[in-house]
Amino acid sequence: MKKHIFPLAFLLALVISCAEDSEVFFNDPSIKVRFINADSLLKVNDSLAITNDSILVLNDTTAYFFDSLQVLADSISILNDSIENGRTEYEQTRNDLQEIEADFMSSLELVDANSILLNELKALLNSVASTIEAGDVLITSISNVGHNTAISYEDSATLYNLPLSMTEGFSKIDIEIGGESYQLELTYDREEIMDEKRRIRVLISNVAIKNSEFDSVSCKSLQCEDEQPIKFYF
């Protein structure tokens, strides 16, 4: 009886090895998307337009003060020459012009300070606009309705993956952003490919958005073939 133990053990090991080699893995199909807060971007761009207009006004004001200071300096120089030549009756006029010159210089310093602040604000607004345009936003959760697939997030990101159905060419997705829920329905072609390690991968193509509660979608005519990430504006 003992002589059968080794062949039996070898056969069992062979069966286990074959089972491991034939194990099949499936990937969860998904598409990359980006969410852009269009309302916030509009407000930032409006603020940028106002800031740019204000900078232009200050630039014109700076140019005016520079030109005026040059005229005052030339006039004071002429009056000083006249006073040195004995025309003392011009002293009061020279003194008045010097006071005006001092006021203009103080005003110019104030304009320069405001210009610095406005340019700093412009840089900040441009940075905020770039962040919004990049889609850097915190998504509360993304769910595939009807397939028990839900993903929650704690950190913001610029790209997200929409979990699609592994067995169907249709998915209904629910996205929660800041307490608001947005739903969309997608159709797509599926293709199962098995590699040399017997791993089956589901490839997605010809994505089409049939319904969307977002304000707009980047895909032309709602056809999203070969466009990733797809951009959703809310």
Side-chain angles (χ1 to χ4, degrees), residues 40-86:
S40 295
L41 184 59
L42 178 62
K43 292 177 181 178
V44 171
N45 285 333
D46 286 344
S47 297
L48 261 173
I50 294 172
T51 301
N52 285 329
D53 289 342
S54 299
I55 290 174
L56 290 176
V57 170
L58 287 182
N59 288 341
D60 290 341
T61 304
T62 298
Y64 164 75
F65 278 126
F66 268 122
D67 292 341
S68 299
L69 284 170
Q70 186 60 53
V71 172
L72 284 169
D74 292 341
S75 300
I76 291 171
S77 177
I78 293 172
L79 289 173
N80 282 332
D81 290 341
S82 298
I83 292 169
E84 289 177 0
N85 291 325

Side-chain angles (χ1 to χ4, degrees), residues 148-199:
N148 297 320
T149 302
I151 307 171
S152 298
Y153 302 90
E154 296 182 356
D155 299 317
S156 63
T158 57
L159 285 176
Y160 291 87
N161 291 321
L162 293 186
L164 305 181
S165 170
M166 185 181 296
T167 58
E168 300 174 341
F170 171 85
S171 286
K172 185 175 182 180
I173 308 295
D174 181 85
I175 299 102
E176 184 177 345
I177 308 173
E180 297 289 335
S181 179
Y182 303 86
Q183 290 193 346
L184 58 97
E185 299 175 359
L186 307 95
T187 60
Y188 41 86
D189 294 334
R190 299 169 56 260
E191 182 181 4
E192 296 183 0
I193 298 178
M194 180 179 292
D195 63 18
E196 67 278 0
K197 295 183 179 180
R198 295 186 57 78
R199 294 176 301 189

Side-chain angles (χ1 to χ4, degrees), residues 1 10 23 46 69 81 84 100 104 128 130 140 143 145-146:
M1 189 68 181
F10 175 78
E23 186 175 359
D46 286 344
L69 284 170
D81 290 341
E84 289 177 0
I100 295 174
F104 272 39
V128 172
S130 296
T140 305
S143 306
V145 180

